[in-house]
Structure formats: C-alpha cells, structure tokens
Amino acid sequence: MKTGLIAALTPIVVLGVVAQPARADVSAPPIKTYEGDPGRLGDPASWRTAEFNRDAGLVSMGAEFAYAAGYSGAGMNIGVIDSGVFAGHVREHGSLETNYAVGDRYFSVEAQGGETGPTSGFYNQAYNDSHGTHVTGTIGASRDGVGETQPGGPAANMHGVAFNSNVYMGNTHKTDGVLYGLLPATATAAQKPDDAYLANVYRAVNAAETANGKPVRIITSSWGSQPNTENYNTYDTPTGSPAGFGLNTAWRLWSTPDGVVDANGSTVRWLNGAIDAARTGTVIQFTAGNSGYVNPSPRGAAPYFLPELEGSWYTTSGINPTVGRTFNPDGSVLVPGQQTFNQCGVAKWSCVTAPSNGINSTTVSVVNGVPEARYGSSSGTSMAGPHSAAALSLIMQRFPYLTNEQALYTMFTTGRQNNTISDAAGVAVPNPTRGQIVQVPDSRNGWHTVSLREAMKGPGQFLGPFVVDTQGQSDVWSNDISDVAIRARQQEDAAEAAAWAATKVAKGWTQGLPADASDADKSDYAIGTRREQARNARVYEGSLTKRGEGTLFLTGNETWHGTSTVLGGKLSVVGSHASSIDVRGGTLGGSGSVAAGVTVTGGVLRPGLAADEAAQITDAAAAPGNVLNVGGNVTIGNEGRVAVTISGDHDYTSVRATGALALAGNLDLDVRGPLTPGTVLTIMSGSSITGSFHALPENRVLNAGGHLFRVSYKDNSMTLTVLRALPTAQ
C-alpha cells in the first residue's frame, strides 16, 4: 500500500506502508555453445580451452571474464568493411541452432557506386584476398569445439571474440593492397580505390536491414595499405622531406570538399561515407597502421581534426602479446603486452590498443583454382582492430541501456596498462604502472589495452557528464569511478589554447583569415577553430545523472567531482561517493557513504540496502545495511520525502550526517516488526537540525504500522519514540 502522510485535525497522524519499487535485473541467459563445452558461468578459467587459446589475443583482453559473465555477442550486429568474407567457412559462420552447418550469422551487404557495380560482401577471388576473412574470424568465428579442421595442418580451429554475434560485411572490391591516401604515380589499378563506391559501402552497412531488426552499432575497418607518399612521424612536413609527409599534410586530402578535385584526381572522398555513418551515432573503428610512426593514419586520427567525432570514432594500435605479457596466479592476464606498430599520437584520446601479433584466424586459400577454407596467422593492426571492435560489442551487450558513446567510453576507461610508455623524447621506457587500470591516455598507448575483465564491471571514469537511463533494468557498477582523465585534459587543453592564441597572433589570424590565405592556412585555421570550439564546449569534471526505472548500485570508490543527480528509478550508494547528490525524482538509497551533501527537492531519500538488493550484487562484497552516512548537509525540500523501514527495536534504516539537517517534505514509514514501548529510533541525525516534516511537529503522535510513535527533533536528531502497539482488529 502506498504511503502518504495523512493530515488530520487530531494530534495523531497515520502513516501507511511504502511500496518497494519493481526490479528488472540486467542479466544474460546462458551462452549457447557446443555440447560438452566446459565453459561455465562464474568460472573464467573454464573458458580457456584449446580453441580459445588459438587466438593469442583473447586472454590478453580478458575475454574469458565476459564469457563467464554470460556475454558472447548474442544479438549484436557488427559491421565490417574489408576485402570480402569467404562464405565457405560455413561452420565458423554458423550458430548452434543449425549445428554450425549453415553460415547463418554472417551476412553480405551489397553496395554499388562510382565505377563499381553491385558488389556482394562475400569474397570473390577475382578481386579479393584473404584479409577480410581473417578479420571477420577474429570478430565472430564460432566456438564449436571441433579439433583439427585444416587439411594437413595443425588443429587450427579457433573462435572469435564475440562468437555468437552477427557480422554484416561490406566489400572493398579490392585486396588489402589498396591504398588509402595520396596515390603514388606508380599506383596500379588494383591499388586505386573507387572513392564513390567505398563511401557508399559505409552508408550501406550502416543502414543494413538486419535479421534481428536491431541496428549495426559498430563498423570496423582494417583494410588497405599506407601509400609510400605519406609519413606520419611528424604533424607537419619536416624540412627536406617529400611534400606529402606529415599527418596534417595527409589530412588535407580528406578535408577537400566533395565536388572538388583532390590530389588523386577524385571529386569524392570515400572517408565521408564513414563520417556520415559516425554522425548517426554508429561507432567507427579504423586501425592505426603498421609503419611504426608516432601517429596513426589520418583516417584513424580523424577525431583530432574533427573533434565532433569523439565518442563515435576511435583507432586501434597494436600490442605484441609475447613481449612483456605477464599473468596473475589464476591464469588471467596482468600486463597485456607491449605496444607495437603505429602509436596513438595526437589521437590518444580516441585510441586503444589490442592484440596484433601472431593472431590465428580464418583464411581462404585457392587450391587448384578453387577457394577453400583454411586458418592462418597474421600480424598488424589489422588484427588489433577486430579484437577491439568485437570487445566493444560485448560491452554493448553487457550494458544494453548504455548509448554507443557510453559503451565506448566504458571500454576506454577500463583499459589495462601495457608494458611501456614514452619518455619526454618519445622513446619507449618501462611503464611503472603496467598492469594497472589506465588513468590518463598517453601518446604511445592511448587508453592502453581493452580489458573485458574490468569493462564488465561498468565505467572506470566519467569523461564529463554521464547521463544514464537504465530503462527499467537494475544493474551494478563495481569499478572505482573517477574523473582523473578529463581533469588532466583540462590542463592539456589550456596549453593547447595558449599555443593556438599565439599562432593566431603570429599569422595575423586574430580577426579571421585574410582573403588571400593559402589552402594550407585555410585547413589549419579550420582545424584550430574546430578544436577551440570543442575545448569551449568541454566540461572538465565528471558527473552522473540517473534516469529511468530500475536501480543502479554503485559499490566502488566514486571520486568524480561533479554533482550526481537522481531523476528516475533508484541510485543506491553501496560504496563511497565523494560528490554531492541532488534527488529531483526517483530514489536515493544505499548503505554506503556520501562525503558531500544530499538535497532532496523531489523524490525519495530511502537509506539502507535490503537483503534482496544485496543479493543482486555478486561481483563485489555487499551485505545488507541500514545506515546511509552523509558527510555534508542533508536538505529535504517541500516536495521531497524520506522513507524509512522499521523491522525491530535495533533494526531500522536511518541517515547519519555530519552536517546540518534541514527538514520539510514528508516522512514515510514501513513498519514490519514488533517494537518495544519506550524504544527511541533515531531516524536522522546531524550537527544541527531545522524545520520539520509536514504535519509532524515536535511531540506529534503518529500511527504507523500498528504502532503509536512520538516525534522529536531535539539533540540534533529526528527521533521516533515507540509509545505502544495498537490492538489488532478482531
């Protein structure tokens, strides 16, 4: 029965019982896999079979922890653009429902444009190579438990990161040898991309009608080779170097507007198709490149030049899992490995690393003119990209209520640190915090290596305001959550702003560009202006806003600086919470501590963690508790409520504050057990107390749950003294 304070002309006020909110927990059904699979929920080690271990990358990312939590990519749609996928790998592309005998999880997306007619996403030996088949195997090849499947070869059967996901393939109509930048004069027809066609491939995959009706939420690309006309070791062209060298110089090709002829003689930039997809909210992943440069390729670094793409675009550098990798006693990874290939560079805020060396996956070989399914090992960031993209899909499956951007930032902020970082000169040196969770991205590793072990526990940091709608589901975030990175970025941005101001003065740009500005100056001014606008819009502290029904339990040490706001459902603080909390709707509860103040202007303050709530928290220590501790002031506004559960003389929920109490609003009581007359229940306490609950002044007697209580606000506490139990009706 819903409580409400019932005003009366008598000194006795009657309180009812507060109904508990309904819960719908976030949980995954058991993973569908082959009969006899030793993998079990709650047991990460049980998933490390021989098939698992044939992809050296799975353990480096802690994939077994996602599987042990029940997540394997089921229902997730992952887009891939590459050199086709060989349809003959039927078993690897199938599902348990068809005994893996039908490739019912891999789908072709047809596209056309430019000089290229309708092209299937499936491999065609006339113009494709094995690259796309290898990439897609890393993403979603089946965990089918079979042994040796490669004629005359080792038992090479493996499974993908998201082995129950759906893969939607767009075809580059080329091999991996197609060039993605400024074309050299010697470029062959096979190396020249059809820009208009490729742009349409991204649009087609992004808009694909999927079998389950759910959107493609991420599109990953590993295709293509860097042209020898470009070099990304510097931002601008070094003195004496070829004119095409420098990341910024290479970007100018991509910033040429469509309709204008670029240096390749094309009037279309294929990258614009990917940008169009990103602007719909789909996450775009491009690999960083393999030349060992200090920056990724321009396509990977796009969020640096177009800051509005942050949150929907990232790049993946590589780690060598055989160098510097160490393990915990339980067989799980501690240090994932060591960064290799192109570094994150200027794109560090939108860059992760993932396993890239000696990666075994599906391939296709042409034997006597006939393509046949095979397995093989390859190295490069082409292998890293599908690892990170598939891992992101598992995070999206784990947290179905998070937006794409929030899932991406969860992946970023839970990365595990690699073996080396860069010193001031950019040279690799041992990382003193290797194996720990990332705090601030660095120019070599970005956010370091994806850790599904940590990501399954929720965000590790807030990179600004984090507005989450739990959509009727209840969930637990057990990571410690800070805002260390965004506060560090504030310092970086201040230095960048000063440098930009100096540049504008030096070049005479303080009033805008002169009419005779060069194309290079126009490009630099546009980049600088966009980055300035992004800095001006950036919020340099983390904050949380809880919307939607369902309970969000926070069990870690929450140290972000911005105010938390409850607008719907319930926020339960089970650990420690550093910042203030405003309750404007929904409920604030928990048995942890809030270091700052709590203000309830609308909604309910319901202290305590009930036994059934504690039972939902399985990945952190949590026991039922009655007291919510507040280190600051507690203010209950006229439209606010405080709800207390009383189960016995010494078993009742309460608020203990070190600051002042300012009371108004309503008090709701849920009396569940017998009470002894004379018992004093301290419902709220603080350093001082002002005001009172509605219709409950000092000494008012109220009737709640079959008992009479006397109200008092003396001695800086709000107390209820049990007077007597009322006789039950006969």
Side-chain angles (χ1 to χ4, degrees):
M1 160 173 82
K2 177 67 179 175
T3 185
L5 192 82
I6 302 177
L9 297 178
T10 68
I12 298 178
V13 176
V14 181
L15 294 182
V17 177
V18 182
Q20 299 296 313
R23 300 183 181 92
D25 301 333
V26 172
S27 59
I31 291 177
K32 294 182 178 180
T33 182
Y34 62 91
E35 185 175 354
D37 190 335
R40 299 185 303 276
L41 292 177
D43 184 359
S46 68
W47 294 89
R48 300 186 201 123
T49 62
E51 186 180 13
F52 174 100
N53 289 326
R54 291 191 191 107
D55 177 357
L58 293 180
V59 73
S60 289
M61 298 195 307
E64 68 269 36
F65 289 89
Y67 309 149
Y71 303 98
S72 60
M76 303 306 299
N77 300 316
I78 305 172
V80 183
I81 294 173
D82 213 296
S83 59
V85 56
F86 181 51
H89 261 293
V90 175
R91 187 171 185 86
E92 295 293 3
H93 299 172
S95 65
L96 179 66
E97 284 78 0
T98 58
N99 192 31
Y100 307 106
V102 176
D104 55 349
R105 292 189 299 104
Y106 278 55
F107 300 86
S108 162
V109 177
E110 185 176 287
Q112 63 180 326
E115 299 177 354
T116 306
T119 301
S120 164
F122 289 123
Y123 163 90
N124 187 317
Q125 69 186 91
Y127 46 77
N128 289 146
D129 61 4
S130 193
H131 190 269
T133 302
H134 194 282
V135 164
T136 55
T138 295
I139 290 172
S142 296
R143 181 179 170 101
D144 53 21
V146 299
E148 183 173 335
T149 60
Q150 180 161 301
N157 177 59
M158 39 67 68
H159 71 72
V161 178
F163 55 80
N164 277 330
S165 63
N166 302 316
V167 178
Y168 285 81
M169 187 74 184
N171 198 324
T172 62
H173 203 275
K174 299 286 181 178
T175 69
D176 187 47
V178 64
L179 302 177
Y180 52 68
L182 180 64
L183 298 173
T186 57
T188 66
Q191 292 175 314
K192 296 178 180 179
D194 185 340
D195 293 292
Y197 165 74
L198 274 175
N200 283 346
V201 177
Y202 283 91
R203 297 182 182 110
V205 172
N206 189 52
E209 294 185 8
T210 62
N212 60 13
K214 299 178 181 178
V216 171
R217 297 180 63 181
I218 179 170
I219 299 174
T220 180
S221 294
S222 295
W223 62 268
S225 300
Q226 177 210 319
N228 58 16
T229 54
E230 297 182 355
N231 181 300
Y232 316 129
N233 256 333
T234 59
Y235 184 72
D236 288 312
T237 305
T239 302
S241 298
F245 280 26
L247 180 64
N248 184 30
T249 305
W251 174 257
R252 290 179 189 136
L253 174 72
W254 304 110
S255 61
T256 307
D258 280 352
V260 177
V261 178
D262 64 18
N264 287 335
S266 176
T267 59
V268 175
R269 258 50 64 196
W270 65 259
L271 193 64
N272 286 341
I275 292 172
D276 288 345
R279 285 176 171 157
T280 69
T282 302
V283 176
I284 301 295
Q285 189 286 139
F286 277 105
T287 47
N290 298 340
S291 299
Y293 297 139
V294 300
N295 291 301
S297 67
R299 60 186 190 168
Y304 178 85
F305 301 102
L306 299 173
E308 67 270 23
L309 295 180
E310 287 194 21
S312 60
W313 194 294
Y314 77 101
T315 188
T316 307
S317 179
I319 59 162
N320 188 335
T322 66
V323 178
R325 186 168 70 174
T326 63
F327 295 89
N328 295 305
D330 65 358
S332 62
V333 73
L334 177 60
V335 180
Q338 186 162 298
Q339 189 277 332
T340 186
F341 302 116
N342 286 4
Q343 299 173 37
C344 293
V346 299
K348 69 177 184 178
W349 289 97
S350 300
C351 182
V352 298
T353 67
S356 60
N357 292 65
I359 303 302
N360 180 52
S361 186
T362 51
T363 63
V364 53
S365 294
V366 178
V367 180
N368 297 322
V370 179
E372 294 187 1
R374 293 288 188 272
Y375 298 88
S377 179
S378 293
S379 298
T381 57
S382 286
M383 287 65 249
H387 275 100
S388 73
L392 178 57
S393 77
L394 297 183
I395 297 169
M396 290 174 170
Q397 184 192 9
R398 163 65 182 88
F399 301 101
Y401 53 84
L402 293 185
T403 66
N404 289 354
E405 178 181 277
Q406 290 170 342
L408 180 62
Y409 287 169
T410 297
M411 182 171 76
F412 285 174
T413 60
T414 54
R416 191 171 291 278
Q417 293 187 49
N418 296 325
N419 192 49
T420 59
I421 55 174
S422 297
D423 64 11
V427 178
V429 295
N431 179 8
T433 53
R434 56 186 174 272
Q436 296 181 22
I437 301 308
V438 67
Q439 294 300 300
V440 179
D442 67 80
S443 60
R444 180 172 293 271
N445 302 280
W447 291 99
H448 289 252
T449 296
V450 178
S451 173
L452 285 167
R453 180 178 195 167
E454 309 307 323
M456 292 295 105
K457 302 174 186 177
Q461 295 193 43
F462 293 149
L463 305 180
F466 199 105
V467 181
V468 62
D469 185 341
T470 48
Q471 301 175 16
Q473 303 175 85
S474 290
D475 204 358
V476 179
W477 292 356
S478 56
N479 280 324
D480 296 339
I481 306 175
S482 72
D483 57 0
V484 172
I486 194 62
R487 292 171 70 82
R489 192 170 194 181
Q490 185 175 21
Q491 304 304 312
E492 290 187 10
D493 280 0
E496 184 181 88
W500 173 237
T503 297
K504 288 193 288 186
V505 170
K507 295 200 172 188
W509 292 350
T510 55
Q511 302 302 316
L513 282 176
D516 60 348
S518 66
D519 288 343
D521 280 353
K522 290 177 181 177
S523 176
D524 287 349
Y525 185 80
I527 294 166
T529 300
R530 285 193 294 266
R531 294 192 61 76
E532 179 180 27
Q533 292 169 343
R535 289 192 300 272
N536 291 341
R538 196 165 286 134
V539 178
Y540 294 106
E541 64 178 13
S543 63
L544 174 66
T545 298
K546 166 70 171 69
R547 294 181 180 272
E549 294 303 312
T551 300
L552 178 59
F553 298 94
L554 303 178
T555 67
N557 180 23
E558 324 302 354
T559 58
W560 66 83
H561 289 75
T563 298
S564 298
T565 305
V566 184
L567 298 179
K570 184 176 183 180
L571 181 68
S572 181
V573 177
V574 182
S576 60
H577 190 288
S579 63
S580 59
I581 302 178
D582 286 350
V583 183
R584 303 178 190 172
T587 301
L588 171 65
S591 57
S593 62
V594 180
V598 172
T599 302
V600 184
T601 56
V604 182
L605 173 58
R606 183 192 301 275
L609 182 73
D612 61 335
E613 292 179 313
Q616 299 181 54
I617 303 172
T618 58
D619 60 352
N626 283 332
V627 180
L628 179 65
N629 291 288
V630 180
N633 300 333
V634 177
T635 302
I636 310 299
N638 286 329
E639 302 301 321
R641 308 177 79 88
V642 174
V644 173
T645 300
I646 302 173
S647 299
D649 291 345
H650 304 287
D651 184 6
Y652 60 94
T653 60
S654 62
V655 176
R656 299 287 186 264
T658 59
L661 303 180
L663 304 182
N666 292 308
L667 174 67
D668 297 334
L669 296 184
D670 179 5
V671 181
R672 299 183 174 185
L675 299 171
T676 304
T679 299
V680 178
L681 310 175
T682 303
I683 303 304
M684 301 180 76
S685 63
S687 61
S688 64
I689 188 167
T690 58
S692 63
F693 290 111
H694 289 172
L696 293 177
E698 180 72 21
N699 287 324
R700 176 61 58 92
V701 175
L702 62 88
N703 172 359
H707 291 77
L708 293 181
F709 301 87
R710 186 178 300 281
V711 176
S712 178
Y713 301 93
K714 296 178 180 179
D715 299 324
N716 302 327
S717 298
M718 189 274 163
T719 62
L720 298 176
T721 300
V722 182
L723 298 180
R724 62 184 174 87
L726 296 175
T728 58
Q730 299 297 321

